[in-house]
Amino acid sequence: MHYLTDIILIALGAALINNFVLYYFVGICPFIGVSRRIDMAIGMGFAVTFVISIAAFLSWTITTFMLKPGAPVSKWAAGFFMPAASAAQVDLTVLSYIVYIFAIASSVQFVEMYVRRFYPSLYRSFGVFLPLITTNCAILFACLIIFSRIVGVDNPADAWDIGRALTLAVFGGIGFTIAITIMAGIREELELCDIPKPLKGAGITLIVASILAMAFMGFTGVDSGLKSALTPAAVEHTQSAEE
């Protein structure tokens, strides 16, 4: 029950409460550049969700088995060159940024080839923004959150497993899709409005984004309330099982 509660809170937090775009303000470039039409926005949201999921899986795997101090692969490889005690202390976390960027770039390349092959019209409408997913800081941000939940924990038993990591990635991508689709719908309606000339383009877009961010602040505290609602049930279940 405790694990399920964690999964629910991570999912709810990544999608709504701590939305990557509207709370942490990462991934703004595609959020602004590809939110002119709803179909483009949905396509970009799906692409980002897929890339962030693959990148999260790769980053969790590489961090757990290669980068973190005492990781099995690095410990095994270092054992050929140094004593076992020293090999167990090998720390390759300094390479995390480089490794994550390569993982993201390879995932984006796969998505680009797939979209170009099966959805050429969508590929042309994306233009330069599809390869620019490589530099989408929302994806790197998710990888770094996962990193901090693996390496930056005091108790190794509290380190995130692959289920928590993928939940953050998938629902972070869903949150990005929700945000960019809402923005696209609003921008389509703005085309019919009489907007003052100084605010046309990026100006009105940023104003709308700030209003959306304030609207999403209404979800603040939902996670703590949900956690307190689920925890007593878990405690009662444990007590009844013991009896």
Side-chain angles (χ1 to χ4, degrees), residues 188-204:
E188 285 188 354
E189 295 296 327
L190 287 175
E191 295 294 330
L192 307 175
C193 299
D194 185 16
I195 301 172
K197 189 174 181 180
L199 295 180
K200 287 184 177 180
I204 192 64

Side-chain angles (χ1 to χ4, degrees), residues 27-46:
I28 296 296
C29 292
F31 177 71
I32 300 297
V34 196
S35 59
R36 292 183 178 89
R37 298 204 318 265
I38 291 180
D39 56 343
M40 287 178 59
I42 293 175
M44 176 58 73
F46 287 162

Side-chain angles (χ1 to χ4, degrees), residues 11 20 27 43 66 70 94 98-99 113 116 121 137 152 159 171 174 187 214 219 223 229 234 238 243:
F20 286 1
M66 295 182 62
V94 68
I98 299 175
V99 171
M113 290 188 299
R116 182 168 53 184
S121 60
C137 52
F171 282 90
I174 292 174
R187 291 184 71 177
M214 289 189 290
F219 293 108
D223 52 346
T238 304
E243 293 175 356

Side-chain angles (χ1 to χ4, degrees), residues 21-225:
V21 179
L22 301 176
Y23 183 85
Y24 292 110
F25 303 107
V26 293
I28 296 296
C29 292
F31 177 71
I32 300 297
V34 196
S35 59
R36 292 183 178 89
R37 298 204 318 265
I38 291 180
D39 56 343
M40 287 178 59
I42 293 175
M44 176 58 73
F46 287 162
V48 169
T49 302
F50 180 80
V51 170
I52 199 173
S53 301
I54 298 298
F57 173 78
L58 293 176
S59 64
W60 181 89
T61 303
I62 295 171
T63 303
T64 302
F65 294 102
M66 295 182 62
L67 298 183
K68 73 175 185 178
V73 175
S74 59
K75 179 180 178 181
W76 172 80
F80 291 101
F81 309 100
M82 58 183 65
S86 300
Q89 302 298 321
V90 171
D91 185 358
L92 300 179
T93 53
V94 68
L95 302 175
S96 57
Y97 277 86
I98 299 175
V99 171
Y100 295 163
I101 289 172
F102 273 108
I104 294 169
S106 60
S107 303
V108 171
Q109 186 64 32
F110 176 78
V111 171
E112 186 175 1
M113 290 188 299
Y114 179 83
V115 174
R116 182 168 53 184
R117 173 66 177 83
F118 295 101
Y119 303 99
S121 60
L122 186 61
Y123 175 79
R124 288 191 297 269
S125 64
F126 280 157
V128 70
F129 290 101
L130 185 58
L132 280 180
I133 294 179
T134 305
T135 58
N136 187 340
C137 52
I139 301 175
L140 181 60
F141 180 75
C143 294
L144 293 177
I145 290 180
I146 295 169
F147 172 85
S148 67
R149 299 293 184 170
I150 297 174
V151 178
V153 295
D154 297 328
N155 184 7
D158 295 332
W160 274 14
D161 61 353
I162 187 63
R164 290 182 173 91
L166 286 179
T167 299
L168 174 77
V170 172
F171 282 90
I174 292 174
F176 178 88
T177 305
I178 292 172
I180 195 173
T181 303
I182 294 174
M183 173 61 81
I186 295 175
R187 291 184 71 177
E188 285 188 354
E189 295 296 327
L190 287 175
E191 295 294 330
L192 307 175
C193 299
D194 185 16
I195 301 172
K197 189 174 181 180
L199 295 180
K200 287 184 177 180
I204 192 64
T205 302
L206 293 175
I207 291 174
V208 171
S210 64
I211 295 173
L212 282 177
M214 289 189 290
F216 270 67
M217 288 178 62
F219 293 108
T220 303
V222 173
D223 52 346
S224 58

